[in-house]
């Protein structure tokens, strides 16, 4: 057994204490580089087009904060200006690239295309005509849409329903998402894998268990009434920059921001937001964290149990409130009382004093929002992590009133809409009943494949046809070799996409692979909608593409045509759904909370999904009360070097718990910029480690090492000393996905991307 990640936290900075002194080193997120980025983008050859797109009425392509839409593309749902961040510029610029030159696919073989990195794939340009790869051929070749429609319909029609499947990524519209699930369910198939299975599924499942509703229970307005935010496992400065504006304002009001993260992310200490130009540029940015806890990765249930214990001991839990608004609180209280401080500290690596200090700060707040992202969900106990946060929110009375509640910070710009539209293996009962009424027959009860189940079924040869609505199924999964093998056993794969990506070249089907170009959100010739992580439904007005002479299709048109070819006009006139106005009619009839979409075409009114935001502590569970449960502490033992085959006599090394995360210059599997200056990781072949760990094992900073995981290894990786907790390390995804075996949270199926055991070894 290797020594656990105990010992002092990562840096000389005080953790578990108030932080002003920590901020004096001048490092911060945001600031000048952002202003510089905007200026460069504006004066680039696509600058004009970029600004036209920014002012087009459509939601930002990038994250689920959901900026854009009505009143020009810069406003949030409260109408506040200056709310676009630079991430949306990056996303738009990538979409404004010219078409991939015809010579690329005609001239380069698949073997050559497979050599391209994620960034190089993206830089090829936009897909603008349909292509096919047939088994045995060395190239992708052009194909007509008529042939495409016939091939795809045949591939969906011939196999048994359980042998067809879809995978989707939350960039497409609600209308496309709704059609996708409807056409598959009408085919008797529930295999609706979605990127949320790799992302916030533990949040949806954990929150539904506790509160009966799987989305955020707060909205933007709530955040503006809070005086405390607990931000857990989120690198919002990079991934949800607009949230930083709310944190800056909250600190200005005298509020408290408690950050929990094994990595001391620069932008969570101090952030320069262009929405506050004077402070951002001249003042070196605004202070974010009032308090920073740096626990062992994967130990958040222990962190929250410790906070709960300290609250209980100081009499800060209002038992009358708990008894009135929760069921099953006894087992949780018993766990809090019976778990020793030693057990809690041994698990999370934080002292009793640190946790007591945190509890005191929390108890002093009047209204707290608990917000979290992938640092919570990407663990083998991701669902328990979410429940531990939800428990804490309830025990502190921070649910069901203005300014307080739980807020999963969603990823893709319409990932939450996909869930609402029923693209999930967990179909909610009211929607099932409504769909059965619409289709005039019962839906199949065969459980569908989520993303991991899909890969495993494909590997066993049990999937014949797969439709991918966006995403990068190959690039996003753990164990890249397994993902490639699994996809290679599927007969037909159809990828609907805007740009080429690694998966299109590595994730080839056994018989044929179709690469089908679609309009993005701001180009689609008809109106569409999306839903933000704050439950806000946005309207995207019709747009035009710059790809003159291209042969692209709208996702809605493609799916309606496929549905028509599969189902004729039974029991609905599928082809008429090519007009998304009719899709919205069906959505209004069958999706809970979406009634207001029925007249959005006339009213143009964006809206909040009904029944999601709780201003009263009454929840949509069977009893109307929250359902509490104990959250067991995980066993975080790391394997020994021998588990990986051991070290050679000339080698030095150590076993670390690897966090795989995003750099500041990428969107998921799509890399825009190689380096990450905020973490000192100047290129992607790097691993961030604690300097004390390096000294202890005899490796040197900036030495080149091999990182070995349970499924594969990466050679030529530079050791970067940085502010990560001892025993932990950080590398960039998707490159790191070759390292790990898929170990998933049994409750949600979501892989443990943030706690990957690896051996780092060097000469
Ligand atoms: N620019 C940009 N924006 C994006 C994306 C993007 O790739 N680029 N992706 C979008 C998507 S799909 C998503 S899901 C979100 C992702 O948004 P994030 O969740 O912010 O993204 P990650 O890079 O995975 O960062 C996770 C954070 O969790 C911390 N962490 C790791 N392990 C633990 C742990 O055990 N406990 C705690 N408390 N913290 C931990 C890491 O140090 C890191 O700071 O962003 C969305 N927005
Ligand atoms: N190791 C590790 N692995 C991870 C993660 C991690 O933190 N660590 N994070 C996980 C998470 S949170 C997620 S969400 C997944 C992401 O998994 P995916 O969603 O599968 O991957 P993306 O790279 O976001 O794929 C987005 C692709 O959609 C395409 N696209 C863009 N716009 C459109 C459009 O309008 N229509 C269509 N059809 N396509 C479009 C783009 O070409 C882009 O390549 O990865 C997961 N994998
Ligand atoms: S915060 Fe997210 S939604 Fe808002 S502009 Fe930035 S990337 Fe787009
Ligand atoms: Mo995600």
């Amino acid at each position: 057994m290797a020594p656990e990640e105990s010992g002092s936290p990562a840096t000389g900075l005080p953790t578990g204490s108030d932080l002003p002194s920590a901020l004096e080193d001048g490092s911060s997120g945001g600031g000048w580089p952002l202003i510089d980025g905007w200026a460069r983008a504006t004066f680039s050859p696509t600058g004009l087009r970029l600004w036209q797109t920014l002012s087009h009425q459509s939601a930002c392509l990038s994250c689920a904060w959901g900026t854009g839409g009505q009143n020009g593309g810069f406003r949030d749902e409260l109408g506040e200006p200056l709310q676009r961040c630079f991430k949306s510029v990056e996303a738009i610029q990538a979409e404004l690239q010219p078409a991939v030159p015809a010579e690329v696919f005609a001239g380069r073989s698949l073997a050559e295309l497979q050599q391209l990195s994620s960034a190089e794939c993206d830089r090829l340009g936009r897909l603008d005509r349909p292509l096919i790869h047939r088994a045995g051929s060395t190239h992708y070749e052009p194909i007509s849409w008529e042939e495409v429609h016939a091939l795809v319909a045949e591939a969906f029609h011939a196999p048994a329903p359980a042998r067809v499947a879809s995978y989707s990524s939350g960039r497409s519209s609600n209308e496309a998402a709704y059609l996708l699930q409807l056409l598959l369910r009408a085919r008797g198939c529930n295999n609706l894998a979605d990127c949320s299975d790799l992302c916030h599924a533990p949040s949806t499942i954990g929150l539904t268990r506790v509160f009966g509703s799987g989305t955020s229970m707060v909205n933007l307005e709530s955040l503006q009434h809070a005086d405390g935010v607990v931000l857990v496992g989120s690198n919002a400065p990079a991934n949800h920059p607009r949230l930083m504006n709310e944190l800056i304002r909250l600190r200005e009001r005298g509020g408290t921001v408690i950050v929990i993260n094994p990595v001391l992310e620069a932008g969570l200490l101090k952030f320069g937001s262009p929405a506050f130009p004077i402070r951002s540029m001249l003042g070196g940015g605004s202070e974010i964290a009032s308090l920073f806890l740096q626990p062992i990765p994967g130990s958040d249930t222990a962190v929250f149990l410790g906070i709960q214990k300290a609250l209980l001991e100081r009499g800060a839990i209002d038992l009358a409130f708990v008894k009135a608004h929760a069921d099953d609180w006894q087992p949780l209280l018993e766990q809090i009382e019976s778990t020793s401080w030693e057990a809690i500290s041994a698990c999370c690596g934080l002292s009793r004093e640190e946790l007591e200090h945190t509890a005191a700060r929390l108890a002093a707040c009047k209204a707290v929002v608990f917000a979290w992202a992938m640092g919570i969900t990407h663990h083998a106990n991701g669902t328990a992590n979410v429940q531990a946060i939800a428990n804490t929110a309830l025990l502190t009375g921070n649910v069901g009133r203005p300014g307080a509640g739980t807020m999963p910070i969603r990823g893709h710009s319409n990932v939450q809409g996909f869930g609402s539209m029923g693209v999930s293996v967990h179909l909610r009962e009211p929607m099932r009943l409504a769909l059965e009424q619409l289709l005039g027959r019962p839906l199949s009860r065969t459980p569908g494949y989520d993303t991991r189940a899909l890969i495993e079924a494909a590997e066993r040869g049990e999937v014949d046809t797969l439709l991918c609505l966006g995403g990068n199924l190959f690039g996003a999964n753990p164990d890249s070799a397994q993902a490639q093998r699994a996809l290679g056993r599927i007969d037909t794969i159809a990828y609907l996409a805007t740009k080429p990506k690694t998966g299109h070249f590595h994730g080839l089907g056994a018989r044929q692979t179709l690469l089908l170009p679609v309009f993005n959100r701001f180009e689609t010739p008809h109106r569409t909608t999306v839903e933000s992580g704050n439950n806000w439904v946005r309207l995207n007005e019709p747009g035009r593409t710059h790809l003159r002479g291209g042969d692209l299709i709208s996702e809605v048109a493609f799916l309606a045509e496929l549905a028509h070819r599969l189902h004729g006009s039974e029991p609905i006139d599928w082809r008429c759904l090519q007009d998304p106005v009719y899709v919205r009619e069906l959505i209004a009839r069958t999706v809970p909370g979406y009634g207001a979409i029925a007249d959005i075409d006339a009213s143009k009114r964006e809206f909040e999904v009904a029944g999601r935001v709780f201003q009263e502590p009454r929840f949509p569970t069977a009893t109307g009360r929250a359902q509490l449960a104990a959250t067991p502490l995980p066993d975080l033992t790391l394997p020994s070097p021998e588990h990986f085959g051991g070290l050679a006599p000339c080698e030095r090394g150590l076993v670390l718990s690897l966090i795989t995360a995003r750099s500041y210059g990428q969107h998921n599997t799509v890399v825009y910029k190689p380096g990450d200056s905020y973490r000192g990781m100047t290129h992607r072949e790097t691993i961030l480690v604690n300097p004390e760990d390096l000294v202890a094992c005899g490796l040197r900073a900036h030495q080149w090492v091999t990182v070995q995981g349970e499924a594969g290894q990466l050679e030529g990786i530079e050791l970067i000393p940085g502010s990560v907790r001892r025993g932990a390390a950080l590398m960039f995804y998707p490159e790191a996905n070759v390292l790990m075996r898929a170990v998933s949270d049994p409750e949600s199926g979501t892989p443990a991307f943030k706690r990957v055991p690896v051996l780092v070894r060097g000469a």
Side-chain angles (χ1 to χ4, degrees), residues 558-614:
F558 179 84
L559 292 167
E561 180 63 27
L562 175 58
H564 169 77
R565 287 179 187 234
L566 287 177
H567 307 301
S569 45
E570 283 305 314
I572 36 183
D573 183 352
W574 295 89
R575 209 170 238 167
C576 102
L577 296 177
Q578 296 221 357
D579 182 348
V581 174
Y582 296 112
V583 183
R584 283 189 280 278
E585 269 180 27
L586 300 188
I587 294 174
R589 273 164 61 191
T590 54
V591 176
Y594 260 77
I597 206 170
D599 57 18
I600 201 168
D601 288 276
S603 72
K604 306 276 165 67
R605 254 203 304 280
E606 300 183 332
F607 62 93
E608 184 175 285
V609 183
R612 299 272 181 88
V613 175
F614 303 129

Side-chain angles (χ1 to χ4, degrees), residues 278-600:
I278 306 272
R279 211 161 335 134
S280 172
M281 300 312 121
L282 303 178
S286 308
E287 192 177 299
I288 304 298
S290 321
L291 194 67
F292 205 117
L293 296 179
Q294 249 185 308
I296 291 170
S299 71
D300 294 84
T301 50
V303 177
F304 282 95
L305 197 68
I307 293 173
Q308 293 161 12
K309 192 172 176 73
L311 289 167
L312 190 68
E313 288 179 356
R314 66 184 356 255
I317 292 180
D318 178 357
L319 286 174
F321 179 88
V322 175
K323 287 175 188 171
H325 302 296
D327 292 322
D328 297 331
W329 45 270
Q330 298 91 335
L332 176 59
L333 287 191
E334 274 160 31
Q335 188 198 17
I336 298 172
E337 280 169 348
S338 66
T339 310
S340 69
W341 277 111
E342 291 70 33
I344 290 170
S345 287
C347 183
C348 69
L350 301 174
S351 69
R352 175 177 180 171
E353 291 67 35
E354 284 173 302
L355 293 165
E356 283 176 340
H357 183 70
T358 310
R361 291 296 298 261
L362 196 55
C365 295
K366 291 185 188 66
V368 181
V369 171
F370 291 79
W372 67 91
M374 297 301 104
I376 280 296
T377 62
H378 282 168
H379 287 290
N381 64 340
T383 303
N385 278 341
V386 172
Q387 286 184 256
I389 298 177
N391 288 346
T392 312
L394 191 120
L395 292 177
T396 52
N398 281 304
V399 286
R401 58 194 180 81
T406 46
M407 186 177 101
I409 314 169
R410 297 275 165 181
H412 272 300
S413 52
N414 194 34
V415 65
Q416 192 165 303
F418 268 70
S420 298
M421 295 302 120
V423 180
S424 166
V425 293
H426 306 283
L427 184 62
R428 288 156 302 152
E429 212 41 36
M431 185 159 171
R432 167 190 306 284
L433 296 174
L435 290 178
E436 289 183 342
Q437 200 165 28
L438 175 73
L439 295 175
R441 60 186 144 97
L443 296 182
S444 160
R445 294 277 177 163
T446 309
Y449 298 140
D450 64 13
T451 302
R452 287 307 308 161
L454 169 65
I455 293 290
E456 283 155 19
E459 197 180 17
R460 293 191 303 270
E462 292 171 9
V463 179
D464 293 333
T465 304
L466 173 68
L467 179 82
C468 289
L469 188 62
N472 186 353
L473 185 57
F474 162 77
N477 263 282
D479 197 343
S480 313
Q482 182 204 27
Q484 183 166 31
R485 208 163 51 236
L487 291 170
R489 292 188 183 150
I490 301 175
D491 206 47
T492 300
I493 304 180
Y495 290 112
L496 273 73
T498 59
K499 290 171 294 161
K501 49 188 170 274
T502 51
H504 299 153
F505 308 138
H506 295 273
L508 297 175
R511 183 158 64 104
Q512 54 197 3
T513 310
L514 294 124
L515 200 43
L516 309 176
V518 295
F519 297 115
N520 66 37
R521 183 173 302 160
F522 59 77
E523 297 168 334
T524 303
H526 50 71
R527 196 172 281 140
T528 59
T529 62
V530 292
E531 176 187 327
S532 82
N534 301 327
N535 303 304
W536 187 256
V537 178
R538 286 226 176 259
L539 191 60
N540 308 307
E541 286 295 346
R544 270 188 321 142
T545 180
H546 65 289
L547 299 168
R548 305 267 174 267
D551 195 8
L552 294 82
I553 199 165
S554 99
E555 292 169 323
V556 166
F558 179 84
L559 292 167
E561 180 63 27
L562 175 58
H564 169 77
R565 287 179 187 234
L566 287 177
H567 307 301
S569 45
E570 283 305 314
I572 36 183
D573 183 352
W574 295 89
R575 209 170 238 167
C576 102
L577 296 177
Q578 296 221 357
D579 182 348
V581 174
Y582 296 112
V583 183
R584 283 189 280 278
E585 269 180 27
L586 300 188
I587 294 174
R589 273 164 61 191
T590 54
V591 176
Y594 260 77
I597 206 170
D599 57 18
I600 201 168

